[in-house]
Amino acid sequence: MSEPSPDNSAGSGARIVDARVIVTCPGRNFVTVKITTSDGVTGVGDATLNGRELAVASYLQDHVCPALIGRHADRIEDIWQYLYKGAYWRRGPVTMTAIAAVDTALWDIKGKVAGLPVYQLLGGRAREGVTVYGHANGQDVAEVLDEVAQYLEHGYKAVRVQVGIPGLPVTYGVSKDKLFYEPAQKGIAPSEATWSTELYLRHVPGLFDAVRGKFGFGFHLLHDAHHRLTPTEAARLGKRLEEYELFWLEDPTPAESQDAFRIIKQHTTTPIAVGEVFNSIWDCQQLITERLIDFIRTTVVHAGGITHLRRIFNLAELYGVRSGSHGATDLSPVCMAAALHLDLSIPNFGLQEYMRHTAATDEVFPHTYWFEGGYLHPGETPGLGVDIDEKLAERYPYQPAPLPVNRLLDGTMHSW
Ligand code: EZ4
Ligand code: CO
């Protein structure tokens, strides 16, 4: 077997001399790629796939990183195509997360080399700041109302609300820690949750009635149904919630069935947001081109990096679909930084999810982005404005933490 062939093409840019994978658990697991060039410039990319972290780490370590050595770091598009087309086995969350991490790190490097924040390389500022939404949740409606009040006091212009369902011991989106919702639980076997669509559909409209009744209509209100409904049930919920003027209803049904959204769209004007589990433009092609959704929620880390996500957002723009990128705690500060540069530069930005990280995570990933008055700002540092403190990261070894599984009350497996 011959050695992987180095990139012999002409080019002025520095070559990649090191690409390594750092797995760390400052409260929760994160996988990060760090690439170094022959000029000594480094770049970072997020490679975290919640509950399946080591699969991506191995894909990178065993298959991708060795093939990067010797390649021109400035050829972002070419390296993207090399990893995508070169694997033969295309798409899928593991592959696309690995490609995303490399792509993100190369944009970071390009920004540092140019002496510009990445959003400048993407065309510059198309707005003043990135509007984000926070997560108000609670066991009961009263608790959620207290949380909404907190977010509005902090200046948030958009709030997602999730409430516990009487009769179900745990509900998606409801946590004890108010600022950090983490569904993955440490241990080997996934925890088991139970679900009843009937109980949910009966209880949840009261939440929106209470929130709009108390706080009015002066802020964006969102809700995540987390892939649990049928198209008919989703249509009924969307219709029922129209009077509360949601900014979006997220993931009403499992979205691998894209044509199901025709049924939802025919019945309700509640805007629909989908895409956090998608990893390529092909996964959302029909949803976008048939205008079956209003917001596409794909992210930098899970949808092929800045290069591919920009392509998705460009397609969406043609059909009046706006961005609404996923930004839960399992997406590291590296992903958040990258998302902000893209959000700031695209014409069809909608909203960015923002769940704060713990202090330990923020320490491991020092970053320049900051929150003010409902907006996030990426900062003006060349590159992405985020790094990983490798010494500190070493202090937090990987801990297995799978996402829960979900069953109906009779024990039938259901989408979580
Ligand atoms: O369940 O990121 O909108 N946010 C979400 C998240 C996802 C987690 C899965 O890792 O749906 O809470
Ligand atoms: Co979601």
Side-chain angles (χ1 to χ4, degrees), residues 3-9 14-21 33-38 60-73 79 82-83 102 106 109:
E3 286 293 299
S5 60
D7 179 358
N8 289 323
S9 54
R15 290 172 191 270
I16 295 171
V17 295
D18 187 42
R20 61 181 184 279
V21 181
V33 165
K34 191 159 201 170
I35 292 177
T36 308
T37 73
S38 47
L60 282 161
Q61 237 146 22
D62 298 330
H63 305 289
V64 172
C65 291
L68 292 176
I69 307 303
R71 314 202 77 80
H72 286 294
I79 289 178
Y82 176 80
L83 296 175
V102 172
L106 294 178
I109 288 170

Side-chain angles (χ1 to χ4, degrees), residues 18-22 32-36 42-45 105 387-390:
D18 187 42
R20 61 181 184 279
V21 181
I22 303 146
T32 309
V33 165
K34 191 159 201 170
I35 292 177
T36 308
T42 62
V44 286
D387 207 345
I388 181 165
D389 181 334
E390 289 186 67

Side-chain angles (χ1 to χ4, degrees), residues 133 160 172 224-227 250-251 276 297 326 353:
Y133 68 93
R160 182 185 102 161
Y172 165 77
D224 192 348
H226 220 260
H227 327 274
E250 179 174 329
D251 288 333
E276 67 184 41
R297 298 197 67 251
H326 190 204
E353 181 176 16

Side-chain angles (χ1 to χ4, degrees), residues 292-325:
L292 300 177
I293 54 171
D294 301 271
F295 297 91
I296 180 70
R297 298 197 67 251
T298 37
T299 57
V300 170
V301 57
H302 299 138
I306 291 173
T307 297
H308 193 67
L309 187 57
R310 183 163 61 153
R311 202 154 280 149
I312 293 175
F313 290 161
N314 286 168
L315 174 70
E317 198 223 341
L318 252 64
Y319 296 93
V321 174
R322 290 187 282 164
S323 76
S325 287

